[in-house]
Amino acid sequence: MIGIFGGTFDPIHYGHLRSALEVKDIFGLDEVRLIPCANPPHREQPAVSSEMRLQMLELAIKNQPGLKIDIRELNRYDQHQAPSYMVDTLASLRQEFPTEPLLLFIGSDAFTHLTGWHQWQQLFEYAHIVVMTRPGFETQQLDTFFKARLAKDINQLAQASAGKLCFQQVTQLDISATAIRDIIARKQNPGFLLPDAVIEYIKQHQLYETR
Ligand code: ATP
């Protein structure tokens, strides 16, 4: 089973890294692919270039063999400058892994907007979706489309290559890239929110110094 963790990673931080590692262990995944987004459709453009966001990812996951970087969204953007839709990313992963269960991980904040994603229903044709939740997260509000796909337990995900929805509690680290960019712009210290090697890179390249 392969995990997919998409994001702008502007910059990558311990909220991303801890959740990726935790779900890898909980679901017994062979790997979790961190997929940096080239041209996010639902938000403003990243503050720094794709190349730099990628270099920060590389520094962050050094010595973490279960975490991989997958640059297909960046490559796709180089070929044709279209929005980076997750449905296209999953379709291309599915071509590469025709039968393997694919688990798309999204935060509960992202889940609340899922029905606004391009061709969101098709996501389930290519992958399972796992929503990473906070303690106390309620699922009663789900509409019938989601309820019909709810997995009874996580073992069900291994039995099909796609199509299930599941909620998994993960350790909550209240860290966001936005807050990190603000801290740096205010000339404060972002230490312990993201890896030192990434902080060093940000300093060297004078990133995020202005808003
Ligand atoms: P920004 O503040 O710029 O919006 P972000 O910190 O939310 O960035 P993204 O790269 O946009 O990071 O997020 C990628 C994915 O990681 C999303 O699914 C998001 O829900 C999840 N995520 C972000 N922060 C955390 C966190 N602290 N813990 C767990 N998951 C997170």
Side-chain angles (χ1 to χ4, degrees), residues 93-192:
L93 280 158
R94 181 50 76 206
Q95 276 197 331
E96 200 173 319
F97 302 101
T99 56
E100 186 104 11
L102 298 177
L103 274 61
L104 172 65
F105 293 98
I106 58 174
S108 40
D109 53 339
F111 179 65
T112 58
H113 302 116
L114 188 74
T115 56
W117 290 20
H118 183 60
Q119 298 181 342
W120 64 274
Q121 286 154 317
Q122 259 96 297
L123 298 169
F124 288 93
E125 290 174 19
Y126 299 119
H128 302 300
I129 295 186
V130 179
V131 184
M132 300 175 292
T133 62
R134 296 176 177 276
F137 181 84
E138 303 282 348
T139 57
Q140 294 99 308
Q141 302 292 334
L142 291 179
D143 74 18
T144 49
F145 180 91
F146 290 130
K147 272 201 185 126
R149 284 164 178 77
L150 209 50
K152 290 186 186 66
D153 59 69
I154 66 175
N155 299 324
Q156 269 199 318
L157 304 186
Q159 290 157 19
S161 61
K164 289 287 178 195
L165 173 67
C166 145
F167 294 85
Q168 176 62 49
Q169 197 174 304
V170 294
T171 301
Q172 291 304 305
L173 296 175
D174 190 7
I175 303 173
S176 74
T178 303
I180 291 172
R181 294 193 300 271
D182 285 342
I183 287 170
I184 297 169
R186 290 199 302 268
K187 305 198 186 320
Q188 294 173 344
N189 186 344
F192 309 118

Side-chain angles (χ1 to χ4, degrees), residues 5-9 13 15-16 19 43 107 109 173 175-178 181:
F5 199 110
T8 317
F9 304 124
H13 55 67
H16 303 128
S19 335
R43 51 175 291 158
D109 53 339
L173 296 175
I175 303 173
S176 74
T178 303
R181 294 193 300 271

